[in-house]
């Protein structure tokens, strides 16, 4: 399979060919493929705070119900918590809560998880979990005074879960010098998700922009041919050997779908069909103007105040990411030249 044969010399297609040769072609790990919205997560956190107040540790089930149908006495509170979550949020069976939802919520920073010795575990580790408690950030989310602040805090959690891709996409879509007003799901799959990865196909934002623009020079028929070829060739049954030798386009696309689904829950983006764009104009949560367009003047001020000239291979980044904002005031404070670094 050589996608670059569809249009010889196209750098975007050459990049796709090189990417899918890597066993890490799908990019970094992210979400557990759960489907949820912010209010469901708030309901779960509110119930966790109710059943395990003052950030106390809750003992959770450690075995699938299919293997052990009955809860032990120490798991009764967890069982009641899951029952109420299922009723109120519509998600959260005992197994799903333990294996899927808690994993995502921990990676967002809204809960803490602990091993059998009550030692905190890394949110992205595969360590077995025995206890759970709500975190300071989780309390901040459920106690936020208005809906917009809740969305900012929730968006910060999504950015943490996705490994910083909100800030990357904000850089791309808000910078008018790039001229990129929307990102398709396939452009995200092929190019954006390669930015700042520990892979053989790692690229920076400027390189991703060049690849996206090269991809857009293809005709609609050529782009369709790229997708259809990948769909037909990247099937596990077409590969021999171990799992890492196999390629699965459907799985890769599902991962991108999950990312777009989550990004659509943030204060920054909305999905329009297969495209991701910035939220514009009147904010749908507050009926107030919260346009988050990037001021090119702040970039200009950085170069003026530091006496720096633009240099090939360097990029201007925010020291404290914009996606860490917890309200519109924070966002505007962070989007200033004093919070930028040229690296």
């Amino acid at each position: 399979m050589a996608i670059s044969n569809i249009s010889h010399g196209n750098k975007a297609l050459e990049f796709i060919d090189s990417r899918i040769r890597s066993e890490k072609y799908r990019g970094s790990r992210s979400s557990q493929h759960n489907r949820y919205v912010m209010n469901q997560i708030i309901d779960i956190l509110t119930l966790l705070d109710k059943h395990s107040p003052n950030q106390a540790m809750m003992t959770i089930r450690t075995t699938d119900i299919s293997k052990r149908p009955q809860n032990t006495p120490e798991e009764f509170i967890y069982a009641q918590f899951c029952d109420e979550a299922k009723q109120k949020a519509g998600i959260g069976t005992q197994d799903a809560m333990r294996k899927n939802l808690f994993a995502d919520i921990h990676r967002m920073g809204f809960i803490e998880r602990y091993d059998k010795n009550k030692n905190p575990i890394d949110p992205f580790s595969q360590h077995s979990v025995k206890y759970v408690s709500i975190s300071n950030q989780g309390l901040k989310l459920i106690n936020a005074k208005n809906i917009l602040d809740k969305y900012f805090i929730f968006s910060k959690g999504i950015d943490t879960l996705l490994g910083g891709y909100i800030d990357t996409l904000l850089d791309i879509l808000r910078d008018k010098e790039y001229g990129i007003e929307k990102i398709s799901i396939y452009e995200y799959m092929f190019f954006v998700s390669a930015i700042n990865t520990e892979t053989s196909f790692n690229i920076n934002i400027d390189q991703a922009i060049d690849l996206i623009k090269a991809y857009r020079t293809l005709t609609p028929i050529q782009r369709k041919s790229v997708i259809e070829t990948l769909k037909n060739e990247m099937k596990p049954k077409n590969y021999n050997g171990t799992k890492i030798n196999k390629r699965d386009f459907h799985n890769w696309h599902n991962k991108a779908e999950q990312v777009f689904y989550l990004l659509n829950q943030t204060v920054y983006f909305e999905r329009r069909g297969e495209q991701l764009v910035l939220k514009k104009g009147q904010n749908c949560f507050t009926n107030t103007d919260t346009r988050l367009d990037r001021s090119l003047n702040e970039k200009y001020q950085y170069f003026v105040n530091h006496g720096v000239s633009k240099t090939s291979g360097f990029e201007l980044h925010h020291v404290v990411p914009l996606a860490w904002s917890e309200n519109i005031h924070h966002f505007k404070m962070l989007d200033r030249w004093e919070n930028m670094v040229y690296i």
Side-chain angles (χ1 to χ4, degrees):
M1 173 179 60
I3 299 299
S4 53
N5 289 337
I6 294 172
S7 178
H8 293 287
N10 186 286
K11 297 299 182 183
L13 300 189
E14 292 174 359
F15 177 81
I16 296 171
D17 276 340
S18 69
R19 175 168 183 163
I20 60 180
R21 284 196 291 268
S22 170
E23 65 184 51
K24 297 181 179 179
Y25 69 96
R26 285 173 292 188
S28 305
R29 288 184 302 172
S30 53
S31 170
Q32 295 289 324
H33 299 290
N34 302 302
R35 292 289 191 265
Y36 45 71
V37 296
M38 182 186 73
N39 286 341
Q40 290 173 306
I41 300 302
I42 289 177
D43 286 342
I44 289 171
L45 292 172
T46 301
L47 289 170
L48 179 60
D49 187 46
K50 168 189 170 183
H51 288 281
S52 196
N54 302 315
Q55 297 181 284
M57 295 184 191
M58 175 189 287
T59 304
I60 69 170
R61 166 182 283 275
T62 57
T63 307
D64 287 354
I65 288 180
S66 61
K67 297 179 180 178
R68 176 170 57 80
Q70 301 301 319
N71 288 101
T72 64
E74 64 178 359
E75 296 168 357
F76 284 168
I77 293 177
Y78 174 70
Q80 186 177 1
F81 155 74
C82 289
D83 286 344
E84 291 188 29
K86 186 68 176 172
Q87 292 174 15
K88 187 170 185 179
I91 54 176
T93 63
Q94 290 189 47
D95 290 342
M97 188 72 74
R98 170 176 59 90
K99 296 194 291 187
N100 297 322
L101 289 167
F102 273 166
D104 272 13
I105 298 171
H106 187 194
R107 291 167 185 176
M108 290 184 203
F110 298 136
I111 63 171
E112 300 290 346
R113 294 185 297 168
Y114 309 85
D115 63 19
K116 62 181 180 180
N117 297 316
K118 299 187 177 181
N119 296 314
I121 66 170
D122 182 89
F124 288 90
S125 75
Q126 299 297 317
H127 204 291
S128 59
V129 179
K130 181 67 175 176
Y131 304 97
V132 172
S133 69
I134 192 169
S135 68
N136 290 334
Q137 197 68 8
L139 290 173
K140 187 179 292 185
L141 175 62
I142 65 176
N143 293 324
K145 299 301 182 184
N146 64 69
I147 191 65
L148 184 58
D149 286 358
K150 288 181 187 291
Y151 267 100
F152 267 104
I153 296 168
F154 184 69
S155 299
K156 179 180 179 181
I158 295 293
D159 185 58
T160 304
L161 173 67
L162 298 180
Y165 274 100
I166 285 183
D167 232 52
T168 298
L169 286 162
L170 284 173
D171 277 344
I172 293 172
L173 294 173
R174 294 175 66 241
D175 196 323
K176 290 181 171 47
E177 289 184 341
Y178 290 140
I180 303 290
E181 295 185 351
K182 57 187 178 182
I183 296 288
S184 76
I185 193 164
Y186 293 117
E187 290 167 349
Y188 177 86
M189 278 177 64
F190 301 148
F191 314 119
V192 177
S193 66
I195 296 172
N196 295 330
T197 55
E198 295 180 2
T199 64
S200 61
F201 51 84
N202 174 54
I203 55 176
N204 60 31
I205 291 177
D206 285 345
Q207 291 169 321
I209 295 298
D210 290 341
L211 291 171
I212 290 170
K213 290 181 176 179
Y215 185 73
R216 291 181 179 182
T217 65
L218 299 173
T219 66
I221 292 176
Q222 287 174 320
R223 289 198 293 271
K224 183 177 179 180
S225 181
V226 169
I227 305 306
E228 291 305 315
T229 301
L230 291 172
K231 285 180 179 179
N232 290 330
E233 296 293 332
M234 294 182 68
K235 296 178 180 178
K237 68 179 182 180
N238 294 341
Y239 298 85
N240 296 318
T242 62
K243 184 176 181 180
I244 63 173
N245 295 322
K246 299 180 184 296
R247 299 293 182 268
D248 189 337
F249 183 86
H250 180 72
N251 183 284
W252 188 14
H253 184 260
N254 276 350
K255 180 176 181 178
E257 282 281 353
Q258 171 68 357
V259 171
F260 268 39
Y261 178 85
L262 292 173
L263 292 173
N264 193 52
Q265 311 301 321
T266 70
V267 73
Y268 305 110
F269 309 108
E270 63 178 282
R271 180 175 182 172
R272 296 179 183 171
E274 293 291 282
Q275 308 286 338
L276 189 74
V277 300
L278 289 172
K279 280 192 169 79
K280 295 284 187 180
Q282 292 297 107
N283 188 277
C284 59
F285 311 123
T286 63
N287 291 322
T288 57
D289 188 3
T290 56
R291 289 177 66 92
L292 301 176
D293 289 338
R294 184 173 191 170
S295 171
L296 290 180
N297 183 58
E298 292 300 325
K299 292 180 66 177
Y300 172 76
Q301 289 299 325
Y302 177 91
F303 292 109
V304 170
N305 283 280
H306 287 288
V308 174
S309 300
K310 290 189 176 182
T311 306
S312 177
F314 279 68
E315 293 181 337
L316 194 60
H317 289 273
H318 291 88
V319 178
V320 180
L322 294 178
W324 287 14
S325 308
E326 295 187 351
N327 55 53
I328 190 66
H329 176 65
H330 287 173
F331 187 93
K332 291 178 178 179
M333 287 184 64
L334 292 177
D335 197 21
R336 298 177 61 86
W337 69 266
E338 295 94 336
N339 184 39
M340 297 178 184
V341 61
Y342 203 42
I343 59 174

